[in-house]
Amino acid sequence: MWDKISYALLFTWVKLHALLPLSALYVLSDILYGLIYKVGNYRVKMVRKNLSESFPDKSPEELLKIEKEFYHHFCDYIVETIKLAHMPFEEVKKRALLKNPEIIEQVIDEGNSTIFMLMGHYGNWEWFSHATGLFPETKIYQIYRPLNNKAFDKLFLYLRGRFGSVGIKKHDTVRDIFNLKKEKKRAGVIFLQDQSPGGENNYWTHLLNHETAMFTGSERIARKQNIPVLFLDVEKVKRGYYTVEMIVMTRTPKETPEFQITEEYTRRLEKMILRNPAYWLWTHNRWKRKRKEA
């Protein structure tokens, strides 16, 4: 009962605030910046640790500039995600612009009913949940890890599904993708795979001056079922406007050496972050895992 009440209150609060124009929400974002960063010091130690270790050659002034820009962007991400609850499709399509959506249909029309799209927590990844609305014959699925807070979990499922995208729980990934392939449904499956993975079946490489464990699930499934893999390269053009370019990494994963896809994803992710570091999710404890000595 409490979960239902919590969700009702949260949903009502979000819907009411989503009625505000983005210009007003960005004023709220500026207020949140002061509360979250200046007053609350939300994960400031983690952000500083991640930035200083990732960019050892940058001066304290340069690191502080990135830090402040990150928190401004992080607060924008919050209000932009709230706005998603009431944003018309035409507006989100303009603000989260897919530069080459024709790639999806081209690759699928080559005989691949399912394709994988690999993203990072960069820019505003939530705004690209509108992508299903761009493809009349293809549905977009998003792999997600359920949140511990059931009210927030239900809210994010609603926001991501407003334009027809479907969530796939992480532990259902293999089964659901197998069914999509078996039923030959036209599907694009999005993986956000730049967080710290659990378990031992990972690939170790270097990312931003760190020895880093990377998820390999998407590559293992892609190679086994020969599912083409795309990288989604995101750029923040200005406040409230993003673009994504779809880059084909491989059309024939079965022919690629083991971990080549994961390594290429890591290199493309790093290049995207270095282009403007402030727009990555630095609050995440990305490098909490250390490689065990042989």
Side-chain angles (χ1 to χ4, degrees), residues 9-22 24-25 28 32 78-79 82-86:
L9 292 173
L10 178 64
F11 183 80
T12 301
W13 186 90
V14 168
K15 288 289 283 187
L16 288 174
H17 282 77
L19 293 172
L20 296 171
L22 266 173
L25 287 173
L28 175 60
L32 284 175
I78 293 173
V79 301
I82 290 171
K83 184 62 180 176
L84 194 58
H86 195 72

Side-chain angles (χ1 to χ4, degrees), residues 245-256:
E245 181 180 2
M246 299 184 180
I247 301 169
V248 179
M249 292 169 59
T250 177
R251 285 175 159 83
T252 54
K254 277 189 175 181
E255 299 175 9
T256 63

Side-chain angles (χ1 to χ4, degrees), residues 7-188:
Y7 176 68
L9 292 173
L10 178 64
F11 183 80
T12 301
W13 186 90
V14 168
K15 288 289 283 187
L16 288 174
H17 282 77
L19 293 172
L20 296 171
L22 266 173
S23 56
L25 287 173
Y26 283 134
V27 174
L28 175 60
S29 173
D30 293 338
I31 296 171
L32 284 175
Y33 171 78
L35 294 174
I36 291 175
Y37 177 47
K38 298 292 187 179
V39 178
N41 290 316
Y42 175 69
R43 290 187 173 247
V44 169
K45 288 184 179 179
M46 178 58 63
V47 171
R48 287 178 180 169
K49 179 177 183 293
N50 286 338
L51 286 173
S52 62
E53 291 179 355
S54 297
F55 305 110
D57 295 333
K58 291 189 180 297
S59 68
E61 293 76 18
E62 290 173 313
L63 292 173
L64 182 60
K65 182 175 183 291
I66 296 172
E67 178 183 306
K68 290 180 177 180
E69 288 176 352
F70 162 72
Y71 276 100
H72 275 297
H73 169 72
F74 181 68
C75 293
D76 281 358
Y77 161 79
I78 293 173
V79 301
E80 288 170 358
T81 302
I82 290 171
K83 184 62 180 176
L84 194 58
H86 195 72
M87 186 180 290
F89 174 71
E90 288 302 321
E91 183 176 1
V92 71
K93 184 174 70 171
K94 178 177 67 174
R95 290 181 174 274
L97 177 67
L98 271 69
K99 296 169 69 174
N100 54 341
E102 68 279 357
I103 291 294
I104 296 288
E105 303 294 353
Q106 287 175 5
V107 176
I108 289 180
D109 286 342
E110 292 171 1
N112 310 285
S113 60
T114 302
I115 60 173
F116 285 174
M117 295 178 284
L118 310 187
M119 289 190 76
H121 288 82
Y122 188 88
N124 190 330
W125 53 96
E126 301 294 350
W127 269 11
F128 290 102
S129 63
H130 78 291
T132 283
L134 300 174
F135 310 112
E137 298 180 7
T138 303
K139 187 174 287 292
I140 302 299
Y141 296 80
Q142 295 171 296
I143 309 299
Y144 77 99
R145 180 183 299 173
L147 302 173
N148 293 328
N149 186 303
K150 292 184 178 180
F152 274 96
D153 189 59
K154 190 174 181 180
L155 174 65
F156 273 94
L157 284 175
Y158 165 75
L159 294 176
R160 293 165 183 168
R162 270 200 66 212
F163 303 109
S165 296
V166 177
I168 295 177
K169 292 181 180 179
K170 183 181 176 182
H171 62 261
D172 294 333
T173 301
V174 175
R175 182 198 66 193
D176 287 1
I177 290 173
F178 175 80
N179 288 334
L180 289 173
K181 284 279 290 182
K182 183 178 179 181
E183 297 168 13
K184 296 184 178 181
K185 291 185 177 180
R186 297 172 67 94

